[in-house]
Amino acid sequence: MNHIYFANNSNCAPLHAYQVDFPRIEIILDGKQKMLWANNDGNVLEKVLSTNDLLYVTAHSWNKPIWQAPSTLLTILFGKQQIAITLLHWDGRQLIPHEQVNIPRRGPRVGSFIIQALTELTRYNQPSKQNKTAYHLIHSLLSNTLDLLNVDIKTSSKTTSLFEAIRQYIDTHFREDVTRDFLADKFYISPNYLSHLFQHEGKIGLNEYLNQIRLEYAKLLLKDYELNIKEIALASGFKDSNYFCRIFKKKTERTPTEYRRQYHSKLMMK
């Protein structure tokens, strides 16, 4: 790796930033990629990452790629049950996602301990080039991921692993045009089997799960951004703002506007 950077702040993520509950690694495989993220002090950093540069994003923290010149980006997401590896290519006009690989996290918890050490190390200090420990930990985490790729680990259920892989993809890409047919095609299964998978493994319907994830994100936008309701709906993955308002009221017993007003009223009372 040429340079390793660390994103370690969950506050005030800009619109369309990537922000999930699990740690991630972003590696520039080819070209240059402008990237935004925030450090421990809340300062927003903007850097142009080059080939073989790496950004480690701690759990709940955010980063935002600015797609300009052609580049290829490898993303590794360390979920609770699986590691998801995704290859993205920006050709200068559109983002082209390639096949996603999912590795079950089974066996010794080596990777979890490495991530825990990185969390402790980055909690109070932004690692610098002089901090060799953080760099060795990153290389160890990549090495452990490679070991999992190369070892045939027996899993309790292929069905469960498939469900976790799809659910993890949704958790990362819910703001995009994610539909039943799109997911079925991406994971090489039929739409009917996809619906069955969510009912059987997740005890929840696919659309209900999608709405749940999108509504939680919409709540964050309502709290932190002065966007109108249509903008909130679109940014959260809802194409129809009227549908968004109906679902929001059904789940919260409040309209989005009422939710925002009540939240800010509570803040003023503190």
Side-chain angles (χ1 to χ4, degrees):
M1 295 297 157
N2 287 338
H3 300 92
I4 299 179
Y5 303 95
F6 297 85
N8 191 32
N9 197 298
S10 61
N11 296 325
C12 298
L15 197 61
H16 302 311
Y18 291 114
Q19 186 175 31
V20 295
D21 296 336
F22 308 109
R24 290 173 290 123
I25 284 177
E26 309 273 13
I27 306 174
I28 311 302
L29 296 185
D30 186 52
K32 294 181 181 293
Q33 177 63 58
K34 182 182 287 188
M35 191 80 71
L36 302 178
W37 70 87
N39 61 17
N40 297 49
D41 300 323
N43 298 320
V44 176
L45 306 178
E46 179 180 315
K47 291 185 180 293
V48 176
L49 306 186
S50 301
T51 302
N52 292 329
D53 284 350
L54 179 150
L55 176 66
Y56 180 80
V57 187
T58 58
H60 309 293
S61 297
W62 63 269
N63 70 295
K64 181 176 181 179
I66 308 297
W67 304 105
Q68 295 177 337
S71 63
T72 303
L73 180 66
L74 181 71
T75 298
I76 307 174
L77 186 148
F78 298 90
K80 288 184 179 180
Q81 303 297 328
Q82 301 223 354
I83 297 174
I85 303 175
T86 307
L87 191 66
L88 299 172
H89 177 68
W90 174 259
D91 65 1
R93 294 177 300 173
Q94 62 180 340
L95 190 62
I96 306 170
H98 294 274
E99 183 177 355
Q100 177 173 306
V101 176
N102 296 278
I103 315 167
R105 296 184 69 176
R106 302 286 191 267
R109 298 179 59 214
V110 176
S112 297
F113 291 125
I114 296 173
I115 290 172
Q116 183 179 347
L118 279 165
T119 301
E120 291 296 319
L121 193 63
T122 59
R123 180 168 294 169
Y124 302 107
N125 298 297
Q126 184 73 6
S128 63
K129 290 184 178 180
Q130 288 71 36
N131 192 328
K132 298 298 182 183
T133 303
Y135 285 75
H136 288 309
L137 286 171
I138 290 291
H139 282 280
S140 297
L141 186 57
L142 290 173
S143 178
N144 177 250
T145 303
L146 185 60
D147 288 342
L148 292 177
L149 271 172
N150 291 331
V151 175
D152 182 18
I153 302 176
K154 294 181 180 180
T155 61
S156 56
S157 169
K158 290 184 178 180
T159 302
T160 301
S161 296
L162 176 60
F163 168 72
E164 288 296 334
I166 298 172
R167 185 183 62 81
Q168 196 160 275
Y169 182 88
I170 291 172
D171 290 351
T172 307
H173 298 274
F174 65 90
R175 287 164 290 187
E176 301 167 14
D177 187 17
V178 178
T179 64
R180 188 177 78 144
D181 288 343
F182 171 82
L183 289 170
D185 183 62
K186 184 171 184 61
F187 287 90
Y188 305 104
I189 57 177
S190 72
N192 288 337
Y193 181 68
L194 175 61
S195 297
H196 168 77
L197 196 62
F198 266 78
Q199 291 288 357
H200 183 266
E201 293 290 330
K203 312 302 180 187
I204 187 174
L206 172 61
N207 285 335
E208 185 180 353
Y209 184 75
L210 261 170
N211 286 338
Q212 178 180 299
I213 297 297
R214 286 168 171 167
L215 286 175
E216 288 303 312
Y217 184 70
K219 289 177 183 178
L220 293 176
L221 296 182
L222 287 166
K223 292 176 182 178
D224 296 335
Y225 298 92
E226 294 299 326
L227 300 172
N228 63 45
I229 300 305
K230 185 175 182 179
E231 290 172 327
I232 294 284
L234 291 175
S236 303
F238 293 97
K239 288 185 175 181
D240 187 337
S241 58
N242 291 325
Y243 175 73
F244 163 66
C245 290
R246 288 198 304 271
I247 294 296
F248 194 96
K249 187 169 185 178
K250 180 180 179 181
K251 294 297 183 180
T252 67
E253 298 183 345
R254 289 166 288 180
T255 67
T257 302
E258 290 169 342
Y259 180 87
R260 172 183 272 164
R261 187 183 301 121
Q262 290 177 10
Y263 173 77
H264 287 293
S265 296
K266 289 179 181 178
L267 285 183
M268 293 177 66
M269 291 173 64
K270 291 183 179 180

